[in-house]
Amino acid sequence: MKILTTCLWLFLLLPNLMQSQEAGIGQWSDYTSYHTGNKVVDAGDFVYYSTNRFLAKFDKEYNRIQRLNTITGLSDIGISTIGYNFATQTLVIGYANANIDLLVNNKIINIPDIRRKEIQGKKKINHIMIKDQYAYLSCGFGIVVVDVKRQEIKETYYLGENSSPIDVYSLSENDTSFVAFTEKGIMYADKKNPILNNSDNWHLYTKITEDINNIAFFTIFNNEFVYVKRTDRTRDHNDSIFVHNGTTTTLLDTIFSIQNLESNNQYLLVSMFPDLVVFDKQFKKSQILPWSGPASAASDVKNNHVFWTASRYGGLVYGNPTSNEQNAALPESPLTSDVFDIFSWENITYVAPGSRGLQFQSLAYPANIYKYKDHSWTAATDKARLDTIWDIVSVIVDPNNSDIVYAGSWFHGLLETKDFAHFSVYNETNSNGKLQPIYINGIRYSLRVGGMGFDSKGNLWMANNGIAKPLVVKRTNNTWDNYDLDGLVTTTEYKLTIDYEDNIWMINKDNRLVVGKPPYYAAWVNINKSPNQDNQSSQIFCLTEDFDGALWIGTDKGIKVIFSKEGLYDVNPVTKESPVIPQNIVYTENGQTQFLLKFESVTCIAIDGANRKWVGTAKSGVYLLSSDGLTQLQHFTVDNSPLPSNNILALSIDQRSGEVFIGTDIGLISYRGTATFGYDENEKDRVYAFPNPVRPEYNGPIAVKGLAWDVQVKIADASGNVVYSGIANGGQVVWNGLQSNGKRIKSGVYFVFVTNEDGKDTLTTKFVVVR
């Protein structure tokens, strides 16, 4: 009867519990863009599509697309090309650093030999030709033959004089020869020759007299040589396709902006801008998949009337030109992988994908903002407005009205949107003249808005770069003002932080912090006033306040902290320097005194719900430090995690979920942390456990979230036996799901109780375990 009761509980609860699941604690999520493709191959039941970073696998039968990346098992990023070996049912993945992955039976086998080996020439895989059980990799130094069946490198061909390395762009074959397109020209060798690793057996083909520098692409189709000649090096140009039959060369066609040239037994495929051009064996031409923007194309091996393209801006585009059918398949992802600033607020994350130069100049980067909500990405759609805007470098949400989003442009001022579809732009004409542009030789150049922040009254403050009064405020009543902070902002200011006391902090390029409460108070803080003279920084990158009111400052020499702001404005009357002294975090390791991250450039710092510090660096990935900074809890790099790059540009934490968004120079990724913001009081309807249900294959931690700050939590089984007791990390508690004997908990319903401040135990939520 007891078993029947448990099963009935499971039956009643499962419909509500089997809703969409969030990423588990300690799990990663990939937010790299899949919009820009570079290669597509047909594999029969599946189609593989690659970007220059990761892969996607499309299931034709079920019309589903799946991400393949470092989180799901790829060993690297920076995919240069792919090829499919039907004989072994294996996808061969070539990387720009000459690393190799084989994807077979949903498993990745890595062949890192070339990447690790010291090799003369360029370490890059340019092209993959499949023949029998082998993959022939055209590389920056020669040709590598991979035995795909044995999952090993068979041999390497060096085609240069005396078997020296030369760059091989692609390899093709006809009935008798292998034909290589190289930096030295078109070269060929007898396919039956057993000693192709000797360059004496490779010969220069001299019947094509075109300068090799003018040939962009080469392939063999119908046993004839086909190549593309560039007629102009600019983007907008016509290219010529020539066919050479061994004796004569004939102009096949002139086509606008050819992006790629590929062939198979049925078709010659010409990827152009913006369509796909197809030639059959009689060289009859058809132009299909209009505006697909192909970078690569393939014909379907099971249906000759279906074609697939890796679009440069639309993902995997496919269609049947005989029926005018055209479709697109794309994993959920932002429009691009570019990240400059991130802002998370109430389960929504915004990304500013702009940029600016090392000398703080505008780079004319096309404007947009990306929004992540409910597991999907949206790009701003006000194209008419955004097409005239450049360089979105900051983004923030109005805390009093989360429908309003502001963005700072490094060229065109301040943007505001209420629906993410229509934007207003503020500049000197509609800010009462308070936002000001830079003038060069009397000519208006740019109006730069960098960092932004809201004070406790809901006023929006922003850094207006390069002008006499660089601190600008847009008040809640839509009046504007600007301030010079006693002239203390003397060089390029680019970031702004407002602390809990409404002090406004601005980071200057000249390695000092300017702080003020306009119009009455202003000061500057000497970042190197600490007595530790051997740890003097020369640049400040970021400033973040923690829950204790301490200001954590990221510099090119690690972290410094302002623990107390007492006397902040008791300034030297002449220099306006504040007496506040930033401190180094000092700890002892192996008997020696160390400064926290002394040799790291700390680019960004975020505070999680447990007051712990997430620290992004320029070269060493992400650190998670204890609340006092003295203990390193985690350190993520490209070598021990799915992190795509160790160069971290931005961090933001969704404090309600604990998801840490990490912006790198390669793209965006996230990690589900163990801490969240707590609430002032416990509310039963807000608290839940995840994953729920806990399925048989799941061995990760179980979390309970939505709790009040730092409450006592107990978890009990249906018999009332307490299986866990602990304190919440902010507003979330994380349990490894193990009993006291170290074994996983059994199937059943589990109940969560919390102890409130009044000491009363309250049933908060329940979850199901299925073994």
Side-chain angles (χ1 to χ4, degrees):
M1 186 66 184
K2 185 175 181 180
I3 295 176
L4 178 61
T5 302
T6 300
C7 291
L8 180 61
W9 266 107
L10 291 172
F11 178 77
L12 292 174
L13 287 172
L14 277 174
N16 291 324
L17 299 177
M18 293 181 65
Q19 297 175 3
S20 61
Q21 298 289 306
E22 302 173 72
I25 299 294
Q27 293 182 351
W28 294 81
S29 297
D30 161 45
Y31 299 123
T32 303
S33 176
Y34 279 77
H35 283 254
T36 306
N38 66 356
K39 183 68 176 178
V40 62
V41 294
D42 189 287
D45 294 330
F46 306 99
V47 173
Y48 290 96
Y49 157 89
S50 69
T51 71
N52 62 348
R53 292 180 174 92
F54 297 126
L55 278 169
K57 177 183 179 181
F58 182 73
D59 188 318
K60 298 178 186 177
E61 180 179 0
Y62 295 101
N63 199 36
R64 292 189 306 219
I65 195 160
Q66 172 189 357
R67 296 169 179 267
L68 299 169
N69 47 45
T70 52
I71 297 174
T72 59
L74 294 187
S75 66
D76 216 327
I77 60 172
I79 295 173
S80 55
T81 189
I82 55 177
Y84 190 75
N85 188 291
F86 279 94
T88 62
Q89 296 185 341
T90 301
L91 182 73
V92 183
I93 306 164
Y95 295 92
N97 61 2
N99 201 3
I100 304 167
D101 276 345
L102 304 180
L103 174 59
V104 56
N105 295 326
N106 294 319
K107 295 182 179 179
I108 293 291
I109 292 90
N110 180 231
I111 305 177
D113 306 44
I114 309 174
R115 178 178 64 83
R116 293 177 177 173
K117 189 176 180 180
E118 291 292 331
I119 293 177
Q120 291 184 346
K122 303 173 185 176
K123 273 194 177 185
K124 181 183 179 182
I125 299 174
N126 300 314
H127 177 265
I128 298 174
M129 186 190 81
I130 303 296
K131 180 177 174 60
D132 303 324
Q133 71 183 58
Y134 301 104
Y136 292 80
L137 279 55
S138 298
C139 302
F141 54 86
I143 298 170
V144 174
V145 184
V146 177
D147 188 326
V148 180
K149 184 177 181 179
R150 296 172 62 91
Q151 299 173 353
E152 64 184 19
I153 292 177
K154 181 175 182 286
E155 56 186 334
T156 301
Y157 307 154
Y158 293 99
L159 277 58
E161 187 176 356
N162 297 320
S163 295
S164 60
I166 61 171
D167 200 348
V168 180
Y169 308 131
S170 66
L171 183 68
S172 307
E173 65 169 334
N174 58 21
D175 291 341
T176 60
S177 303
F178 288 128
V179 182
F181 173 34
T182 81
E183 63 176 312
K184 299 297 183 181
I186 309 298
M187 303 183 72
Y188 67 97
D190 188 338
K191 289 198 295 189
K192 297 180 180 179
N193 193 314
I195 317 177
L196 293 181
N197 57 0
N198 186 336
S199 61
D200 290 341
N201 294 317
W202 288 85
H203 312 286
L204 192 65
Y205 190 79
T206 57
K207 293 184 179 180
I208 294 179
T209 58
E210 187 65 54
D211 184 347
I212 193 65
N213 294 317
N214 292 331
I215 297 179
F217 305 103
F218 175 91
T219 190
I220 294 177
F221 178 60
N222 233 11
N223 268 328
E224 298 189 68
F225 292 180
V226 183
Y227 63 90
V228 172
K229 177 184 176 183
R230 287 275 194 241
T231 54
D232 194 330
R233 293 291 177 181
T234 63
R235 176 185 173 184
D236 298 328
H237 58 266
N238 288 319
D239 298 320
S240 299
I241 305 178
F242 291 92
V243 177
H244 177 79
N245 63 7
T247 304
T248 60
T249 301
T250 306
L251 175 65
L252 175 62
D253 204 345
T254 298
I255 294 176
F256 179 76
S257 190
I258 294 177
Q259 307 294 308
N260 209 341
L261 183 70
E262 297 158 289
S263 63
N264 55 31
N265 293 330
Q266 297 292 325
Y267 300 106
L268 177 68
L269 305 172
V270 183
S271 297
M272 62 163 286
F273 185 82
D275 305 338
L276 174 65
V277 177
V278 177
F279 293 90
D280 62 18
K281 286 187 176 182
Q282 287 71 46
F283 289 99
K284 181 181 177 181
K285 172 184 173 183
S286 59
Q287 196 157 325
I288 62 175
L289 298 182
W291 297 102
S292 61
S296 170
S299 61
D300 196 290
V301 297
K302 292 186 174 182
N303 186 343
N304 285 333
H305 298 298
V306 174
F307 294 85
W308 305 85
T309 68
S311 171
R312 291 191 179 276
Y313 46 76
L316 177 65
V317 178
Y318 62 100
N320 186 337
T322 60
S323 60
N324 293 319
E325 178 187 2
Q326 186 166 322
N327 302 282
L330 187 67
E332 186 64 46
S333 66
L335 190 61
T336 72
S337 293
D338 301 300
V339 181
F340 198 86
D341 188 34
I342 315 171
F343 190 87
S344 298
W345 183 262
E346 297 293 341
N347 295 317
I348 304 176
T349 293
Y350 296 88
V351 176
S355 189
R356 58 176 168 240
L358 295 177
Q359 303 303 316
F360 290 83
Q361 75 275 23
S362 171
L363 297 180
Y365 189 96
N368 213 310
I369 309 170
Y370 309 140
K371 178 172 68 175
Y372 181 68
K373 179 182 179 182
D374 297 332
H375 309 290
S376 64
W377 285 94
T378 306
T381 57
D382 190 355
K383 193 168 180 60
R385 172 69 74 180
L386 293 176
D387 279 353
T388 65
I389 306 295
W390 297 340
D391 301 321
I392 302 297
V393 297
S394 57
V395 61
I396 195 170
V397 174
D398 187 334
N400 297 314
N401 185 348
S402 59
D403 291 333
I404 300 178
V405 179
Y406 291 95
S409 165
W410 204 245
F411 201 91
H412 290 96
L414 177 70
L415 280 68
E416 177 186 4
T417 179
K418 295 182 180 179
D419 57 8
F420 213 60
H422 303 90
F423 282 80
S424 300
V425 178
Y426 295 101
N427 51 40
E428 69 270 32
T429 66
N430 56 359
S431 65
N432 196 28
K434 302 305 180 182
L435 279 173
Q436 286 291 313
I438 295 172
Y439 287 85
I440 298 178
N441 297 325
I443 300 175
R444 187 187 188 280
Y445 176 60
S446 62
L447 200 164
R448 301 174 176 178
V449 172
M452 298 181 291
F454 281 91
D455 65 20
S456 61
K457 298 177 181 178
N459 301 311
L460 175 64
W461 297 82
M462 64 205 80
N464 186 186
N465 174 263
I467 64 169
K469 293 184 176 182
L471 180 59
V472 180
V473 60
K474 179 181 181 292
R475 303 191 189 277
T476 54
N477 60 3
N478 287 320
T479 61
W480 295 73
D481 216 332
N482 58 5
Y483 303 92
D484 65 0
L485 293 179
D486 285 345
L488 295 177
V489 183
T490 56
T491 59
T492 302
E493 73 293 330
Y494 57 100
K495 288 193 177 180
L496 181 150
T497 299
I498 302 178
D499 66 25
Y500 295 136
E501 300 170 11
D502 280 346
N503 297 299
I504 301 167
W505 298 80
M506 301 179 74
I507 295 176
N508 267 21
K509 190 180 177 183
D510 62 358
N511 192 41
R512 66 179 182 175
L513 294 173
V514 175
V515 59
K517 271 190 177 180
Y520 304 111
Y521 301 102
W524 72 277
V525 175
N526 185 348
I527 195 70
N528 289 322
K529 199 171 184 178
S530 169
N532 297 308
Q533 296 300 315
D534 62 340
N535 195 35
Q536 303 291 288
S537 67
S538 59
Q539 188 170 359
I540 304 169
F541 296 108
C542 63
L543 181 145
T544 304
E545 187 177 26
D546 70 10
F547 297 157
D548 297 326
L551 294 167
W552 292 70
I553 306 163
T555 78
D556 60 336
K557 291 292 182 64
I559 292 176
K560 298 187 179 185
V561 184
I562 297 176
F563 290 104
S564 173
K565 290 172 277 193
E566 185 176 354
L568 180 62
Y569 296 112
D570 295 338
V571 299
N572 181 305
V574 177
T575 65
K576 302 293 184 179
E577 182 180 350
S578 172
V580 167
I581 300 176
Q583 303 290 323
N584 292 287
I585 297 289
V586 181
Y587 63 98
T588 302
E589 184 175 337
N590 298 324
Q592 293 191 358
T593 299
Q594 308 271 354
F595 296 121
L596 181 61
L597 302 179
K598 175 180 177 179
F599 300 104
E600 304 289 354
S601 288
V602 174
T603 55
C604 44
I605 302 173
I607 313 298
D608 71 12
N611 207 26
R612 302 177 304 180
K613 281 66 186 177
W614 289 82
V615 179
T617 68
K619 294 182 180 179
S620 299
V622 178
Y623 293 84
L624 173 59
L625 306 177
S626 59
S627 59
D628 58 9
L630 294 176
T631 303
Q632 178 181 304
L633 304 176
Q634 289 177 307
H635 181 202
F636 298 122
T637 69
V638 295
D639 296 321
N640 65 9
S641 75
L643 200 65
S645 169
N646 286 331
N647 184 7
I648 311 302
L649 304 179
L651 288 170
S652 184
I653 302 175
D654 183 340
Q655 301 290 4
R656 293 307 182 196
S657 68
E659 187 170 10
V660 182
F661 289 85
I662 306 169
T664 78
D665 61 336
I666 297 290
L668 183 68
I669 196 167
S670 77
Y671 177 82
R672 190 62 174 268
T674 58
T676 66
F677 266 16
Y679 291 86
D680 293 334
E681 295 180 355
N682 283 307
E683 292 185 11
K684 181 178 177 180
D685 293 340
R686 187 174 55 214
V687 178
Y688 68 95
F690 71 98
N692 191 5
V694 179
R695 301 181 183 279
E697 66 275 10
Y698 182 75
N699 292 311
I702 300 166
V704 180
K705 64 175 296 182
L707 301 168
W709 288 100
D710 304 328
V711 293
Q712 175 78 37
V713 177
K714 293 180 181 180
I715 300 176
D717 62 20
S719 299
N721 300 309
V722 175
V723 294
Y724 171 81
S725 179
I727 302 294
N729 236 347
Q732 176 173 269
V733 70
V734 178
W735 173 41
N736 60 13
L738 300 179
Q739 303 177 68
S740 58
N741 60 8
K743 294 183 179 180
R744 304 293 295 179
I745 55 174
K746 300 177 182 179
S747 294
V749 179
Y750 289 81
F751 300 90
V752 180
F753 301 86
V754 299
T755 302
N756 298 320
E757 289 184 357
D758 59 9
K760 183 179 179 180
D761 285 336
T762 304
L763 170 63
T764 305
T765 191
K766 53 196 171 187
F767 62 93
V768 172
V769 175
V770 182
R771 297 298 186 200

